[in-house]
């Protein structure tokens, strides 16, 4: 799976987990545009961990603002 395909899959998991109707891009902000609450961000993180078989510390969310940031975080944990 290429990096672009992986990013697309991550965006699909984000959309499904958050039940958003937004057209997600890597620039979509999690908190401003998507309106995620911190609890929802933790649920999303758990869903991503389960889907991709990675462990991501909750503290890593402090540096995540966009779906692209989240994609990069998951990809880093996979390599």
């Amino acid at each position: 799976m290429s990096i672009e395909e992986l990013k697309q899959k991550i965006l699909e998991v984000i959309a499904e987990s958050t039940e958003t109707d937004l057209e997600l891009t890597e620039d979509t902000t999690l908190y401003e545009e998507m309106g995620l609450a911190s609890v929802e961000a933790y649920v999303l993180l758990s869903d991503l961990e389960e889907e991709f078989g990675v462990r991501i510390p909750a503290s890593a969310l402090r540096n995540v603002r966009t779906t692209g940031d989240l994609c990069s975080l998951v990809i880093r944990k996979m390599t």
Side-chain angles (χ1 to χ4, degrees):
M1 184 178 287
S2 74
I3 295 295
E4 285 307 312
E5 291 171 325
L6 189 52
K7 286 180 183 179
Q8 200 55 43
K9 177 65 177 165
I10 294 167
L11 290 174
E12 289 171 15
V13 172
I14 292 170
E16 185 178 308
S17 176
T18 61
E19 299 178 350
T20 187
D21 292 330
L22 293 175
E23 178 88 20
L24 298 181
T25 69
E26 289 184 54
D27 296 322
T28 304
T29 58
L30 296 170
Y31 304 103
E32 290 82 16
E33 291 176 79
M34 294 182 67
L36 287 187
S38 57
V39 171
E40 293 168 314
Y42 290 114
V43 171
L44 172 57
L45 191 63
S46 176
D47 290 345
L48 288 166
E49 287 178 328
E50 185 176 318
E51 179 71 31
F52 296 101
V54 295
R55 291 286 302 140
I56 303 170
S59 61
L61 286 177
R62 281 186 239 149
N63 301 319
V64 172
R65 297 287 171 252
T66 67
T67 55
D69 294 341
L70 203 46
C71 287
S72 296
L73 179 62
V74 172
I75 291 168
R76 277 196 314 271
K77 292 296 181 178
M78 292 178 71
T79 57

